[in-house]
Amino acid sequence: MRRKIFKKLVMDEPKEPKINEQPNTKDIDLKKQNISSQIEDNLQTFKRMFSVPKNTDVKVREFTIPALKRRAFIIFVSTMVDLEHIKESIMEKLLKDEQTSTKIQDIVSYPMSKTATNIGEITDFISGGVTALFVEGDSQCYLYETTKIHGRSIEKSANEVIVKGAKEAFNENVVDNIALIRKKISNENLIAESQVITKRSKNSVFLVYEKDLVNDEILQSIKIKLATLNADKILDLSILEQYLEERPRSFFPTLLYTERPDRAAAFIEEGHIVLLMANSPSCLVLPTTFWALMHSPEDHYLRTPYGNFIRLLRFLALFIAIFASPFYIAITNYHVGMIPPDLLMAIAGSRERVPFPSIVEILMMEIGFELIREAGLRVPSPIGPTIGIVGALILGQAAVQANIISPIVIIVIALSGLSSFIIIDGSMNFAIRISRFLFIFSAGIFGIYGVMALFTIGLFYLVSLRSFGIPYFAPMTPHFSSSKDLLIRHIPINEKFRPGYLKPKDMVKQRKG
C-alpha cells in the first residue's frame, strides 16, 4: 500500500519545464536579410528585434516628411545618443522643410551619415548609439552618428606616475583615446582599424599602427588571433589580454598594458601595434619584450645621465626585490662562513630569543607585507596610505618586542618590499613578487645552490617565451640591430635604428643630413 502511494506521489509530482538551450534561429535568420521597402514591415521587424515597448530606453518616433509626403520613423537607444542633436539636426529638418525634394540627403545634411540595407548590420549600429531613419518606399536605411556616452574626462595617469613629461591618460571613451594618439602622431599613415571580436556582445577592438612601419606578418598574425577568438563577450582589454597570451599560466607577462598615450605613441613609432577597446582606460602593446616591461617613459623625458641613473636603480631594485630575502635565508642557514664575524655576532644576538627558524620569520613578514599592501589598495583612498604605514609600523614593532621576529628581518623585508614598488609595470610587479616566494623556498631547502639553480632554470624559461613570434629577450638574445636601448639609453642623436626584431618596413628612424 505504501509503495502504491509513493509511486502515485512521484508520478503526480510536477515536472520541470524543459529549457530551450538552442539559440533563437528565427532572429538569426532575420538578421541575414535586407530591409523591406514597406515601412510597416520594417517597423514591426525592429520593434521585435529591440523588444519595444518592453525595452524602455529604445525609442521609436513615427512621422510624415512634408517635403516627400511619405511616412517615416526613426529608432535609437535614448541612453546612448545626444537627444538635442537628434532633435535639432534630424527631426526639425525633416518636419519643417517644405521645399519639394526627392532625396533625404538634400533635407538632412548631416556630417556623419551612411546607408545600410542588412537588418543585422543596422541592428548593430543602433545598439552602438547610431540613429536609424526608415522612409516609406526606400529599400535602404539612413544612419546618423549621434552617439553620446557619458564618461570620465581626460585625467592624469594614476598608476604610471612620472615627474617630467606628459600627464595625460586614456579614459573609457575609445574615440578620445584614438584622438590622444593622433594628437601625438600627425601622420596620414596612422591607421585605426576596427575588428569585431565577440559573437553576442559585438565588442570591437581597434588596431592602431603605422602602415609604412609595421611588419605585415606580425600584423596578420594578430588579426588571425583576434578572428579566431570564440567568446560571447570580452568587455575589457584586461580580459582580451588573457585570450591573446600564448602562455596564460606563465608568471611573466608577454603583453604590455599601459594607460599612457605618449607611451603608446612611442611604441607605434617603433613599429609596434596598439590595441584599444571601448570602456578600457588603457591599451595593449604588441609584441612585447622583457626590456619594454622594465623601461619607464620617464627614462626618455629625463636627460640621458639622469634617465640612466633611474634605469640602473630600477634594475638594481629588481634583483633586491627577488634575492634579498632568499640570500638572507641561505646565508644564515647554510653559509654562515660568508658573513664577517662582527655581523655574524650581531645577527646571532638579534635572533637569540626568536623561537622560529629564519625561513619562517621571512615567510611571516612577507605574507604580512603583502596583506598590508593589498589592504592599502582596497580601502578608500583617504585612509589607504595611512593604514599601510601605520599597519607596517605597528606590526613590525610589536613583532620585534614580542621576540617573534628579529630586527634584521624587518630591514630585509622592508628593503625587498620597497624595491618592488619601483617596477612600473603592474604585471611584471606581480611576477617578481610571486617569484620571490619560489626563491625563498629554494633557499630554505638548498641554500645558495638552490637559488642559483632556480635562477638558471628561470633564465632558460624566460628565453623560451615569445610574444607573437618575437623572442622575450630580444634584441639582446637573439641579437638584432637596433638602438640598443636595453640597460643603458644612449643620447637621442645616436638612436638611429628601430628595433630589428620587429623587422619594420623602415629600419632607420634618424638619417644624417
Side-chain angles (χ1 to χ4, degrees):
M1 184 68 179
R2 289 180 180 177
R3 287 182 181 177
K4 288 182 179 180
I5 295 171
F6 179 76
K7 189 174 181 181
K8 186 175 185 303
L9 289 171
V10 171
M11 294 296 292
D12 293 343
E13 186 177 326
K15 296 181 179 179
E16 292 184 3
K18 292 183 179 179
I19 299 173
N20 182 16
E21 296 182 353
Q22 297 297 321
N24 193 338
T25 55
K26 190 178 290 186
D27 284 349
I28 293 174
D29 292 337
L30 185 62
K31 285 184 178 182
K32 297 176 182 178
Q33 300 175 13
N34 290 336
I35 62 172
S36 169
S37 58
Q38 301 296 320
I39 194 167
E40 285 296 335
D41 294 341
N42 292 332
L43 184 61
Q44 294 305 318
T45 297
F46 283 91
K47 278 188 174 181
R48 175 187 168 185
M49 295 293 292
F50 286 96
S51 302
V52 178
K54 184 189 291 185
N55 212 348
T56 55
D57 66 338
V58 178
K59 307 298 182 184
V60 178
R61 169 77 187 277
E62 299 179 57
F63 56 94
T64 300
I65 304 174
L68 300 178
K69 296 182 180 178
R70 285 192 283 172
R71 293 175 60 204
F73 73 90
I74 62 169
I75 180 170
F76 55 87
V77 182
S78 61
T79 51
M80 298 184 68
V81 299
D82 188 340
L83 295 174
E84 288 297 322
H85 210 170
I86 293 173
K87 178 184 175 183
E88 295 173 2
S89 302
I90 300 174
M91 291 302 300
E92 288 186 359
K93 291 185 178 181
L94 288 170
L95 294 174
K96 294 182 178 180
D97 189 275
E98 296 180 354
Q99 297 180 1
T100 304
S101 179
T102 58
K103 293 183 179 180
I104 292 293
Q105 291 89 340
D106 296 335
I107 302 173
V108 182
S109 55
Y110 202 83
M112 292 177 288
S113 63
K114 61 179 294 186
T115 58
T117 57
N118 179 262
I119 292 175
E121 184 182 358
I122 296 168
T123 302
D124 293 340
F125 276 117
I126 296 171
S127 300
V130 172
T131 298
L133 169 65
F134 295 85
V135 181
E136 186 178 19
D138 281 5
S139 56
Q140 62 181 1
C141 167
Y142 302 92
L143 301 169
Y144 302 102
E145 183 62 57
T146 55
T147 309
K148 183 182 179 182
I149 302 174
H150 298 283
R152 290 187 304 138
S153 59
I154 297 170
E155 300 172 357
K156 289 185 178 181
S157 174
N159 299 317
E160 298 175 75
V161 180
I162 63 174
V163 177
K164 190 176 183 180
K167 301 295 189 292
E168 294 172 328
F170 289 126
N171 61 17
E172 285 76 10
N173 190 340
V174 71
V175 176
D176 289 345
N177 296 342
I178 295 173
L180 287 171
I181 294 177
R182 285 199 178 274
K183 187 173 71 171
K184 291 172 171 56
I185 305 176
S186 301
N187 192 327
E188 71 280 2
N189 292 307
L190 183 65
I191 305 295
E193 185 177 349
S194 176
Q195 184 171 338
V196 178
I197 57 172
T198 56
K199 297 181 295 185
R200 182 174 292 274
S201 297
K202 302 294 182 183
N203 304 118
S204 294
V205 64
F206 290 84
L207 294 88
V208 185
Y209 57 91
E210 287 200 52
K211 67 179 182 181
D212 61 337
L213 290 179
V214 71
N215 182 279
D216 290 330
E217 291 183 7
I218 297 175
L219 178 62
Q220 193 61 29
S221 68
I222 293 172
K223 288 182 178 180
I224 292 171
K225 183 76 172 178
L226 291 171
T228 54
L229 296 179
N230 187 20
D232 276 354
K233 61 180 179 63
I234 298 176
L235 301 178
D236 192 87
L237 277 174
S238 302
I239 302 172
L240 178 62
E241 178 184 5
Q242 300 173 58
Y243 279 90
L244 295 179
E245 287 180 316
E246 293 182 12
R247 298 189 187 180
R249 292 182 177 85
S250 172
F251 289 160
F252 288 85
T254 53
L255 303 179
L256 191 147
Y257 184 93
T258 179
E259 60 183 18
R260 298 186 60 87
D262 58 330
R263 197 178 185 193
F267 277 110
I268 292 171
E269 290 281 14
E270 297 286 352
H272 291 264
I273 297 153
V274 165
L275 301 186
L276 296 169
M277 277 186 73
N279 307 314
S280 294
S282 55
C283 74
L284 286 177
V285 178
L286 314 176
T288 302
T289 64
F290 172 82
W291 310 104
L293 293 163
M294 288 299 299
H295 292 169
S296 167
E298 195 169 25
D299 297 346
H300 291 267
Y301 287 125
L302 294 172
R303 293 183 65 246
T304 304
Y306 312 153
N308 284 332
F309 173 74
I310 296 297
R311 182 174 289 184
L312 290 174
L313 198 64
R314 191 179 305 117
F315 279 100
L316 176 64
L318 169 67
F319 283 94
I320 292 174
I322 295 177
F323 294 114
S325 298
F327 273 145
Y328 173 78
I329 294 170
I331 291 172
T332 54
N333 283 1
Y334 297 97
H335 312 283
V336 180
M338 297 175 63
I339 308 175
D342 293 341
L343 180 59
L344 179 61
M345 294 297 294
I347 293 174
S350 67
R351 297 197 71 255
E352 183 179 3
R353 301 178 66 180
V354 176
F356 303 111
S358 57
I359 186 172
V360 175
E361 283 186 89
I362 290 290
L363 284 175
M364 287 171 59
M365 291 309 298
E366 286 282 3
I367 294 170
F369 189 89
E370 293 295 333
L371 289 173
I372 293 170
R373 181 177 187 166
E374 290 301 312
L377 291 173
R378 302 292 177 262
V379 298
S381 55
I383 60 173
T386 307
I387 285 180
I389 296 169
V390 174
L393 289 173
I394 291 175
L395 283 179
Q397 184 66 26
V400 170
Q401 288 182 351
N403 294 321
I404 296 174
I405 303 295
S406 59
I408 194 167
V409 169
I410 300 293
I411 297 172
V412 170
I413 297 299
L415 188 62
S416 175
L418 288 174
S419 297
S420 67
F421 282 108
I422 301 178
I423 311 303
I424 188 170
D425 187 81
S427 297
M428 181 60 77
N429 194 295
F430 270 109
I432 291 166
R433 288 158 62 187
I434 295 171
S435 299
R436 182 165 65 230
F437 282 97
L438 297 180
F439 279 102
I440 286 171
F441 285 114
S442 66
I445 298 171
F446 300 108
I448 285 183
Y449 300 107
V451 173
M452 297 312 297
L454 184 59
F455 179 68
T456 305
I457 294 170
L459 278 180
F460 277 110
Y461 174 73
L462 289 175
V463 169
S464 71
L465 291 177
R466 286 179 174 270
S467 177
F468 289 93
I470 303 301
Y472 201 51
F473 271 95
M476 175 179 282
T477 174
H479 177 72
F480 289 93
S481 297
S482 66
S483 61
K484 300 178 182 178
D485 184 15
L486 301 177
L487 290 173
I488 300 294
R489 181 178 73 86
H490 297 281
I491 58 175
I493 197 170
N494 290 336
E495 294 181 359
K496 298 179 180 179
F497 301 102
R498 292 186 172 86
Y501 55 84
L502 293 174
K503 299 178 182 177
K505 293 174 182 174
D506 185 5
M507 185 68 186
V508 181
K509 66 178 180 181
Q510 198 165 214
R511 292 176 172 84
K512 293 182 179 179

